[in-house]
Amino acid sequence: MSKNTKYLLISLPASISPTNDHDEALTTLRSAVTLDYGTVFPFPIPEFKIGTLDALVQQADELAKLEAACEGVVAKVGDSLRTILQGDEAKISQSKTVNDKPPEQYLKSFHWNKVKYRADRPLGDIIDTLQKEITSIDNQVKDKYNSYNSIKTNLTQLQRRQDGNLASKALTNIVPPSLVIRDSDYLETHLIAVPRNLIKDFLRAYESLSPMVVPRSAVQVASDDDFTLYAVTTFKKHSQDFIHRCRESKWTPRDFKYKEGGGEEERRELEKVGENERKVWGEALRLGRTAWGEAVMAWVHVLALRVFVETVLRYGLPLNYVCGLVRTTGKLAKKARSSLDTKFSYLGGNAFGRDKKGRVTKDDSSTSADMQAAGHMGNEGEYSAYVCYEFEIK
């Protein structure tokens, strides 16, 4: 899936061919784009039950909002896949399929999914089905990835307690039980992680840091590259003052209570959370793959509905039109549009003219404003003489 690929979904009346023939109209569309600017594929759209003109105008507005929602969900699911696959572009690309096909192949061979989105139902019902589906996909992915992130955060914290420095790691297997005063009504042992460059300051000042610190009670427990851990004894009634002043001096008081078998308990908890993290990771990845494909499918069906509704509003009844998908690039899309404008500008009536050199020109902004109010604008916010929607699947 090329990052630079852009698609134009175009609808034109069959009258662009002299015989009003569908296949000839598609050939005329291809001749307008040419292989220099892109490749044209047929994009079949079934006929739907059409209501009133007012209903169609309202549905055009609803579909515009729904398409934006679909695009947003596709992007969010893609970001979730990128996170869980740690930015591995090859694996991310492999995970992005639609109906087990690469997105480009799915688009090239597009057929309306009549089982999932019954074409014999009223347009309003189909739009409602798609709205509910994209909302459900968004909520499911959000819930699963929130769950995974919560477990991942918990695992990271547990791992830090095992592998971090003395200011953060678990102390159960580091502090000998004999160093900790237990069952005393008056005395309490504090464990303080002191940065290596502040050890002299600590040893010089800890006894006078607060009232009733037991003199010469500081005992070195352990040391690493960043910190040295000391045990200090104080009277309980001044413990909070001592802890507060340690923090002010940039020494880290460690919360520690000796527990028999605590080290083994922490190891088991780490293993359990690790297993759960791997399990939920797999679930999140499977859901992400499925959800991305389903969200793209919903998006493309919404685009097809936008084309259909706009075609009815633009060209009228009875319907006789051709729909084509142009595969192009970001750089060539403007040239493809310009070529299409040149070929089919006559469909826009007074909205288009030609300058002295024969180049197609568009009328002033007031015309575009009128067309936008009537619902005849593409998704680029600019009026064209034909139905056209641009999109990228990233």
Side-chain angles (χ1 to χ4, degrees):
M1 183 172 56
S2 173
K3 290 183 178 180
N4 195 34
T5 302
K6 179 168 277 193
Y7 297 98
L8 310 178
L9 194 54
I10 295 170
S11 163
L12 289 159
S15 61
I16 61 171
S17 72
T19 61
N20 283 352
D21 179 74
H22 180 276
D23 292 334
E24 286 188 14
L26 189 61
T27 301
T28 303
L29 171 57
R30 286 192 171 110
S31 69
V33 175
T34 76
L35 293 175
D36 293 334
Y37 303 140
T39 309
V40 179
F41 303 94
F43 194 88
I45 299 176
E47 288 198 21
F48 301 97
K49 291 183 178 181
I50 301 169
T52 64
L53 178 61
D54 287 346
L56 281 174
V57 172
Q58 182 179 348
Q59 287 161 353
D61 183 55
E62 291 173 357
L63 286 166
K65 294 175 182 176
L66 181 53
E67 190 210 333
C70 290
E71 184 176 4
V73 171
V74 170
K76 284 191 285 186
V77 178
D79 288 343
S80 296
L81 281 172
R82 175 167 278 97
T83 299
I84 206 164
L85 291 172
Q86 298 181 327
D88 189 321
E89 292 298 334
K91 291 182 179 179
I92 293 167
S93 182
Q94 291 171 2
S95 298
K96 290 183 173 181
T97 60
V98 188
N99 272 359
D100 298 322
K101 301 176 184 177
E104 184 171 316
Q105 186 180 342
Y106 170 74
L107 288 168
K108 288 179 180 179
S109 59
F110 175 80
H111 281 86
W112 185 268
N113 190 331
K114 294 182 179 179
V115 175
K116 201 169 187 179
Y117 315 110
R118 287 177 51 187
D120 60 342
R121 299 288 297 166
L123 267 176
D125 290 356
I126 301 172
I127 294 170
D128 187 52
T129 297
L130 285 159
Q131 176 71 65
K132 289 177 179 177
E133 181 182 18
I134 203 67
T135 301
S136 175
I137 291 171
D138 189 24
N139 289 336
Q140 286 179 35
V141 172
K142 191 184 301 178
D143 289 346
K144 178 59 70 176
Y145 276 79
N146 284 344
S147 175
Y148 172 72
N149 287 333
S150 176
I151 294 169
K152 180 69 175 176
T153 300
N154 188 21
L155 177 63
T156 301
Q157 290 173 345
L158 289 172
Q159 289 172 334
R160 189 180 294 122
R161 284 178 59 80
Q162 296 297 319
D163 305 326
N165 57 39
L166 288 169
S168 60
K169 72 187 302 181
L171 301 178
T172 307
N173 294 324
I174 295 174
V175 180
S178 58
L179 276 182
V180 181
I181 296 175
R182 290 174 284 171
D183 304 323
S184 171
D185 293 332
Y186 303 103
L187 298 177
E188 186 172 14
T189 302
H190 303 283
L191 295 169
I192 312 297
V194 182
R196 297 289 295 271
N197 63 332
L198 298 179
I199 289 174
K200 289 183 179 179
D201 294 340
F202 170 77
L203 292 175
R204 184 173 57 249
Y206 82 91
E207 291 180 351
S208 58
L209 202 63
S210 71
M212 303 188 77
V213 177
V214 177
R216 299 181 183 179
S217 62
V219 177
Q220 181 175 326
V221 181
S223 186
D224 61 24
D225 292 339
D226 302 310
F227 293 88
T228 295
L229 185 69
Y230 286 92
V232 177
T233 303
T234 71
F235 279 75
K236 284 186 175 181
K237 65 179 181 178
H238 294 287
S239 289
Q240 291 306 312
D241 186 27
F242 178 76
I243 290 171
H244 175 68
R245 293 183 181 276
C246 281
R247 290 197 176 100
E248 286 183 340
S249 301
K250 296 183 170 52
W251 311 330
T252 306
R254 296 299 314 277
D255 187 17
F256 176 80
K257 290 184 179 180
Y258 177 77
K259 184 179 181 181
E260 191 73 36
E264 178 63 22
E265 184 178 313
E266 288 180 354
R267 186 188 64 79
R268 286 197 301 268
E269 183 183 7
L270 180 61
E271 288 180 355
K272 181 180 178 182
V273 174
E275 289 176 4
N276 193 29
E277 186 270 345
R278 289 188 292 274
K279 172 177 173 288
V280 178
W281 179 89
E283 293 173 354
L285 178 59
R286 287 190 294 274
L287 177 62
R289 286 170 172 166
T290 302
W292 191 87
E294 289 180 348
V296 170
M297 185 189 298
W299 183 15
V300 174
H301 279 74
V302 170
L303 279 163
L305 285 178
R306 288 198 76 182
V307 169
F308 177 82
V309 170
E310 179 68 11
T311 296
V312 176
L313 291 172
R314 184 78 69 94
Y315 307 139
L317 297 172
L319 280 175
N320 188 16
Y321 71 102
V322 63
C323 184
L325 178 75
V326 180
R327 181 191 182 277
T328 183
T329 66
K331 289 184 178 179
L332 293 176
K334 287 185 178 180
K335 293 181 179 180
R337 289 293 297 269
S338 178
S339 180
L340 288 162
D341 287 344
T342 300
K343 182 80 172 180
F344 304 115
S345 61
Y346 67 90
L347 295 172
N350 295 331
F352 287 80
R354 292 183 183 271
D355 61 17
K356 292 180 181 179
K357 294 183 179 181
R359 293 173 299 194
V360 173
T361 59
K362 297 182 181 180
D363 205 346
D364 59 28
S365 59
S366 62
T367 301
S368 291
D370 292 341
M371 293 298 179
Q372 189 169 26
H376 298 319
M377 303 292 284
N379 57 358
E380 298 300 306
E382 188 173 305
Y383 176 73
S384 64
Y386 47 88
V387 177
C388 180
Y389 293 102
E390 294 187 18
F391 65 99
E392 295 177 75
I393 298 179
K394 299 178 182 179

